Amino acid sequence: PPQSLTETIAEDDAEIKAYLQTHFYNYEEFASPPANFDFKIDIDTIAGDNAGKTALADQVSAHIVNVSSTDLGLELEEINVPHTMYYLTANEGGGMNPTQVDSVYLRYEGSLLNGSVFDSSTGSPIWFDLQGTLTQGNSGVIRGFKEGLPNFKSGGNIVDNDDGTFVVEDYGVGLLIIPSGLAYFSGTQVGPSYSPIIFKVELLVSNTADHDRDGVPTIEEDLDGDKNPVDDDTDEDGLPNYLDTDDDGDDISTKDEISDEAGNIIFPYPDSDGNGIPDYLQPNS
């Protein structure tokens, strides 16, 4: 039978803290980049010639996420068990922070704490839709990845080359250290069950998502602010607002209700009766 969340997070937290105390990354190269530095994170053990290095534990930041047993399809009744993940910013980046529902273009490498790599796109960047759609089922991105990426910034200028390629300048580089309850838990996709994992991340581009193209960004269609727009359905038609082009079901499209005659989006969104609820969220307004 699967372990409980409480039991697993205690084991994961102890393992992660021990790892953070005994490992460091090439922070000196990021602080003073040598010629031709590739801005990639290298992690090594604090020992021997590296005995004086600053441990990851002194450089990471903590991010707490509550996890319930139902989130993982468990029959055990555990509600809002705090899970601490950690992130480290090696290079801040010159762009914007994505949200948990945006699309991102990045390179990444996932490994176990023992250094065994289980997934990688470091050769070629890849696009991720962090939210996904109902037809996709989900984005295929683990929760810790979605929770962690907003702590990084994307790149700054995008420079087009003459050969059809492009270069992103000053992109965000960092680490995500994730307990198994925010990753694969009892699954064996990465190796042993209940395995904490690490992602090295290079965040190149971040795009604000508008999945239904109604003019309202997907993050704003998460009305209850729980980072899950799937459960926000104003007209209760079975289609969440972020995929519904008529959020209040009044047969006037959301885009028409927030645009002027020229088709320009009006900010703040029109609220004809001044009750604090935009017209596009209340029928017959």
Side-chain angles (χ1 to χ4, degrees):
Q3 293 181 187
S4 68
L5 287 173
T6 305
E7 176 186 8
T8 304
I9 188 56
E11 295 173 353
D12 285 359
D13 199 46
E15 188 176 350
I16 289 173
K17 286 180 177 177
Y19 179 88
L20 295 176
Q21 290 286 357
T22 56
H23 290 76
F24 75 101
Y25 84 104
N26 52 329
Y27 56 88
E28 293 167 323
E29 290 183 306
F30 277 90
S32 300
N36 300 317
F37 181 49
D38 58 6
F39 286 89
K40 294 191 180 298
I41 292 178
D42 291 321
I43 300 176
D44 203 348
T45 305
I46 298 176
D49 293 340
N50 297 323
K53 299 296 186 181
T54 301
L56 288 170
D58 297 323
Q59 297 177 310
V60 297
S61 299
H63 179 69
I64 298 176
V65 182
N66 288 326
V67 183
S68 298
S69 55
T70 53
D71 297 336
L72 298 172
L74 302 176
E75 295 182 359
L76 302 170
E77 294 185 2
E78 294 179 286
I79 300 174
N80 292 335
V81 178
H83 281 55
T84 302
M85 60 178 292
Y86 299 87
Y87 64 93
L88 178 143
T89 303
N91 188 66
E92 183 177 9
M96 56 183 273
N97 298 87
T99 73
Q100 290 87 352
V101 300
D102 288 336
S103 58
V104 292
Y105 186 61
L106 49 72
R107 287 187 288 261
Y108 69 91
E109 179 184 275
S111 65
L112 303 178
L113 297 189
N114 64 11
S116 175
V117 175
F118 61 83
D119 192 10
S120 174
S121 72
T122 52
S124 300
I126 187 172
W127 277 104
F128 276 129
D129 178 352
L130 297 181
Q131 176 57 36
T133 66
L134 291 181
T135 55
Q136 293 173 327
N138 56 61
S139 66
V141 178
I142 62 171
R143 187 171 179 184
F145 203 76
K146 293 178 63 169
E147 290 280 350
L149 276 183
N151 294 296
F152 304 132
K153 290 183 179 180
S154 59
N157 294 329
I158 298 177
V159 180
D160 289 320
N161 298 323
D162 294 334
D163 59 0
T165 62
F166 64 92
V167 174
V168 179
E169 298 179 334
D170 193 23
Y171 51 85
V173 181
L175 289 176
L176 295 174
I177 302 95
I178 305 171
S180 61
L182 295 172
Y184 302 99
F185 198 58
S186 60
T188 58
Q189 293 94 322
V190 303
S193 299
Y194 313 112
S195 296
I197 57 177
I198 297 177
F199 278 105
K200 298 177 182 178
V201 176
E202 299 173 17
L203 182 55
L204 304 177
V205 180
S206 173
N207 283 343
T208 301
D210 178 7
H211 285 83
D212 54 7
R213 300 185 181 182
D214 63 357
V216 182
T218 295
I219 190 61
E220 293 184 24
E221 308 226 53
D222 175 25
L223 301 179
D224 57 11
D226 66 352
K227 303 177 184 177
N228 179 25
V230 172
D231 60 10
D232 298 275
D233 181 7
T234 299
D235 57 8
E236 298 181 348
D237 63 351
L239 199 62
N241 289 1
Y242 86 101
L243 297 175
D244 193 343
T245 57
D246 179 10
D247 292 327
D248 57 7
D250 62 358
D251 294 327
I252 303 175
S253 73
T254 294
K255 194 162 190 176
D256 285 344
E257 293 195 83
I258 64 172
S259 302
D260 59 23
E261 294 181 355
N264 301 308
I265 305 297
I266 302 170
F267 295 104
Y269 302 128
D271 175 13
S272 300
D273 53 16
N275 67 350
I277 303 175
D279 293 347
Y280 80 93
L281 291 176
Q282 52 181 341
N284 305 316
S285 57

